[in-house]
Amino acid sequence: MVFSSQILEPLVSVIIPTYNRPEYLKQAITSALNQTYQNIEIIVSDNCSPENPQALVASFQDPRIRFWRHPKNVGLLANQLHAFKMAKGKYFASLHDDDLWNQDFLAKLVPTLEANPNVILSFCDQYIIDKYTRIDEVATEENSRAYKRNKIKGGVHTNFTTMGLVYKSIPTAAAAVFRNGVIDWDKIPAEVGGMWDLYLTYLACISGYAVYYHPEKLTRYRCHEETDTMMSGGRNIQAKIRKAKSEIFCYQTFMEDVRLQEFYPYFKQQCLEAHTTLGIGLLRDKKVADARPYFLLALKGQKFNFRTVVALILSFIPWFLVNKLIFMQRRKNQSENSLINA
């Protein structure tokens, strides 16, 4: 008698939260369906996109795909968590609607979870791609170095707090497969916001489980102007404010956890930097009175920080002059970059 390999493989839930990116969503679903590991369910959770993607999802005509559409926009975190709660698989993995997986992503990460019941998640390295799906080799290597994945040994790691919360090596939202049933989704507070992946890493770190690292690049993280990371970097003031508030909440939570006291100085520094970031966001939103207390708190918690001092000084300068100074600095940076690239 011949048995299908799917019978032997445990079910994996592929979580794809989406909002108004139909072309990228189509690519993401295709990359999930093209996995050599075939026993999957794909949960597409739409956050009330202006253009309903239901017809696009249905066009795949694959019974493994489940579609959910919120009747109103519930926010990034609520949409993500709702999809997680829908997962029926023994394992689950998050796939952003603008990212892609290599065909062997699940095939190389699931077996270790099956063989090691004490492993909560397995993760890998990733490529960086642009909006046209082209691999950016320079950005890819910079990304691997920045998160120190180029120095992590492949295999099982029992103590991974430094790896997860300091180096942030584990791309939980883009390149990891989790054991389902360990994380209580109701314990992720709304204040976590867009930093849900960092908070999920925190819950994994304190779970008592181990993690597994596969040192290959098996996923493709897309960098483009519509990502929350790019917007919070300066293109969108409200995104910057939301991210800073989420960071403050996360690092304050980490500081209060007695199990993580050895990392307290690092968490405190990150929290203070987030205070400055939030103040700058509020300052750019012309909420000067709201911004200053965050600068003062940041300065009180550290001896000296040039970025914070400059931001506080700017809060006392008329806004039209601040805009002029920012414009002049940007022109200077552009000129310097032009000379470097000439």
Side-chain angles (χ1 to χ4, degrees):
M1 183 179 293
V2 179
F3 292 92
S4 167
S5 62
Q6 291 188 25
I7 297 176
L8 302 176
E9 295 174 342
L11 179 66
V12 176
S13 299
V14 179
I15 309 301
I16 307 180
T18 187
Y19 179 75
N20 210 36
R21 292 197 281 229
E23 288 305 315
Y24 287 158
L25 174 62
K26 185 176 181 179
Q27 293 180 41
I29 294 174
T30 299
S31 80
L33 291 173
N34 286 343
Q35 291 296 295
T36 55
Y37 187 104
Q38 285 287 291
N39 192 20
I40 62 174
E41 65 166 358
I42 299 173
I43 300 170
V44 179
S45 184
D46 176 57
N47 197 15
C48 196
S49 298
E51 181 181 343
N52 190 338
Q54 185 170 7
L56 184 154
V57 175
S59 69
F60 284 95
Q61 298 183 337
D62 194 306
R64 293 174 298 172
I65 302 176
R66 299 163 60 195
F67 178 75
W68 173 271
R69 177 175 167 84
H70 291 281
K72 63 179 182 179
N73 192 304
V74 296
L76 182 151
L77 177 62
N79 186 39
Q80 185 84 43
L81 293 182
H82 182 271
F84 281 145
K85 292 177 181 179
M86 290 177 65
K88 297 178 180 178
K90 182 176 182 180
Y91 306 108
F92 69 86
S94 171
L95 173 59
H96 287 160
D97 63 354
D98 54 349
D99 294 340
L100 303 170
W101 287 346
N102 289 8
Q103 288 184 320
D104 55 354
F105 170 67
L106 292 177
K108 289 186 174 178
L109 294 189
V110 172
T112 299
L113 289 164
E114 273 292 273
N116 297 273
N118 65 317
V119 171
I120 188 173
L121 69 92
S122 55
F123 71 102
C124 62
D125 203 356
Q126 56 190 357
Y127 291 103
I128 302 298
I129 59 176
D130 63 16
K131 63 180 181 180
Y132 302 109
T133 318
R134 299 174 301 202
I135 293 175
D136 186 329
E137 298 289 354
V138 174
T140 294
E141 295 311 310
E142 288 178 350
N143 182 267
S144 294
R145 288 195 300 270
Y147 295 105
K148 303 189 185 299
R149 287 191 290 270
N150 62 322
K151 294 185 177 181
I152 302 175
K153 291 183 179 180
V156 175
H157 299 261
T158 54
N159 188 344
F160 58 96
T161 302
T162 300
M163 182 193 305
L165 297 182
V166 178
Y167 299 151
K168 301 178 179 66
S169 307
I170 306 172
T172 52
V177 181
F178 274 79
R179 185 178 301 279
N180 204 358
V182 178
I183 302 297
D184 183 351
W185 301 116
D186 292 325
K187 287 188 177 180
I188 297 184
E191 292 87 349
V192 168
M195 299 300 292
W196 68 265
D197 52 342
L198 179 63
Y199 200 87
L200 182 55
T201 301
Y202 159 67
L203 294 178
C205 287
I206 63 175
S207 68
Y209 284 77
V211 298
Y212 168 75
Y213 177 57
H214 186 89
E216 276 188 88
K217 295 177 178 65
L218 301 177
T219 68
R220 306 186 180 213
Y221 179 84
R222 193 186 304 270
C223 281
H224 58 96
E225 293 183 355
E226 293 181 10
T227 62
D228 201 51
T229 300
M230 293 291 283
M231 290 194 298
S232 62
R235 289 176 172 81
N236 185 300
I237 296 173
Q238 295 308 316
K240 189 182 191 74
I241 292 173
R242 288 195 302 269
K243 184 172 184 289
K245 287 182 177 179
S246 296
E247 287 180 332
I248 291 171
F249 177 84
C250 286
Y251 287 116
Q252 285 179 339
T253 300
F254 303 165
M255 284 190 289
E256 293 169 2
D257 193 325
V258 295
R259 293 164 293 190
L260 303 177
Q261 285 305 293
E262 64 178 294
F263 302 100
Y264 183 92
Y266 171 77
F267 296 149
K268 180 180 178 182
Q269 182 60 36
Q270 294 299 110
C271 189
L272 292 172
E273 289 181 10
H275 274 75
T276 297
T277 300
L278 177 54
I280 292 172
L282 292 169
L283 188 62
R284 291 182 59 195
D285 200 27
K286 300 181 182 180
K287 296 178 180 177
V288 179
D290 293 336
R292 285 185 190 138
Y294 289 101
F295 297 142
L296 294 172
L297 280 170
L299 288 173
K300 184 179 179 181
Q302 52 195 332
K303 292 182 179 179
F304 178 80
N305 185 288
F306 181 76
R307 176 171 173 255
T308 309
V309 171
V310 170
L312 180 60
I313 292 172
L314 288 175
S315 73
F316 289 96
I317 298 176
W319 185 248
F320 74 94
L321 289 178
V322 173
N323 274 334
K324 188 173 182 179
L325 289 170
I326 292 173
F327 176 76
M328 291 172 62
Q329 184 62 44
R330 285 177 178 171
R331 289 291 297 271
K332 180 182 177 183
N333 292 340
Q334 289 172 357
S335 298
E336 290 174 351
N337 290 335
S338 297
L339 290 173
I340 292 172
N341 295 325

